[in-house]
Amino acid sequence: MASLADDTLHVASDEAHHLVKSLRLRPGETFVATDGEGTVGQVVAEAIDRRGVVGRVVTRVRVPPPGLRLWLCADANGSRADWLVEKAVELGAWAFCPLVAADPGRRARWERLARAALKQSLGAWALRLPAAGEAAWERAAHLSFVGAWLGRPGGADPLAQPLPPQGDWLLVSGPPGGFTPDEEAAWGSLPGLLAVDLGPHRLRAETAALALLVAARLSSRPSWETG
């Protein structure tokens, strides 16, 4: 992600490597860039060398933020959490809040993965991540949500619960090993929270989190889209 305010765009490091090595960009060819804050530009590569890519921004489009912003509160072990962050971006999550506070190194790694996933999915809005050392409950306690789901066996069918078109919606999925009774009671005390069932099989933490996100995405689509 880079600023698209100027007509000349300098792309370096991992982003330049992706353009040149993965996409095989050549001078004179066009690529898409975003600032992660809703601006998407068509850029013509004018020079490519070991320092990076210099491009000329030829068009800019402003993409509005989503009306319904999905906040995913979840976690997974080790590299599975990295995979969870990557896929959450591709599936259109607005924010990811780990259940356990992330240290600066872990957060920096998620930022890199989220940038790469945004490029892969051609998104326009970067994933919101918590400040280092901030856990999901701290973030949730300071925000006003229009509603919330908690993934739990025996809950309601999420696909029978249409979501509103606007506002922030919280999605809570348990950690590896599940919530303790006290943790589940704390989440359950959130106003408007509904327990939803993710199916008959026992899911890994990262799978359950993504299943909850997919269900929310499907439940938020207008009827003409779902047929």
Side-chain angles (χ1 to χ4, degrees):
M1 294 180 291
S3 172
L4 295 172
D6 298 326
D7 289 339
T8 300
L9 178 65
H10 297 268
V11 184
S13 65
D14 292 344
E15 284 78 10
H17 185 273
H18 174 74
L19 288 170
V20 176
K21 298 300 182 181
S22 300
L23 301 183
R24 300 185 179 183
L25 182 72
R26 298 292 180 264
E29 295 179 342
T30 301
F31 63 97
V32 177
T34 180
D35 62 359
E37 293 296 325
T39 300
V40 177
Q42 291 283 338
V43 185
V44 175
E46 294 192 326
I48 300 174
D49 58 30
R50 63 183 181 180
R51 293 171 297 181
V53 176
V54 177
R56 176 169 49 88
V57 182
V58 293
T59 64
R60 295 178 182 83
V61 176
R62 184 67 183 169
V63 179
L68 182 67
R69 296 171 294 274
L70 300 174
W71 294 67
L72 180 62
C73 295
D75 217 335
N77 290 327
S79 62
R80 294 182 183 274
D82 298 344
W83 182 82
L84 173 56
V85 168
E86 179 182 80
K87 300 310 171 188
V89 174
E90 295 178 12
L91 289 168
W94 178 252
F96 174 73
C97 301
L99 297 171
V100 178
D103 60 47
R106 196 182 196 205
R107 187 186 188 282
R109 184 168 66 253
W110 288 345
E111 286 180 335
R112 293 194 299 271
L113 290 168
R115 284 197 300 269
L118 190 68
K119 290 184 293 185
Q120 168 68 32
S121 59
L122 298 179
W125 289 89
L127 182 74
R128 271 57 182 168
L129 290 167
E134 183 179 47
W137 179 256
E138 295 174 275
R139 176 64 66 91
H142 292 90
L143 290 172
S144 177
F145 292 97
V146 297
W149 283 355
L150 170 68
R152 186 171 63 193
D157 178 0
L159 297 183
Q161 314 296 322
L163 300 189
Q166 301 285 333
D168 293 291
W169 193 273
L170 188 66
L171 303 171
V172 184
S173 185
F179 286 123
T180 66
D182 287 346
E183 289 171 337
E184 187 160 336
W187 283 109
S189 67
L190 287 175
L193 182 136
L194 175 69
V196 295
D197 194 306
L198 300 176
H201 300 291
R202 184 171 66 180
L203 304 176
R204 292 184 184 272
E206 66 276 13
T207 308
L210 292 178
L212 189 63
L213 179 55
V214 169
R217 291 278 290 169
L218 291 175
S219 295
S220 64
R221 294 171 65 187
S223 58
W224 61 265
E225 288 190 302
T226 56

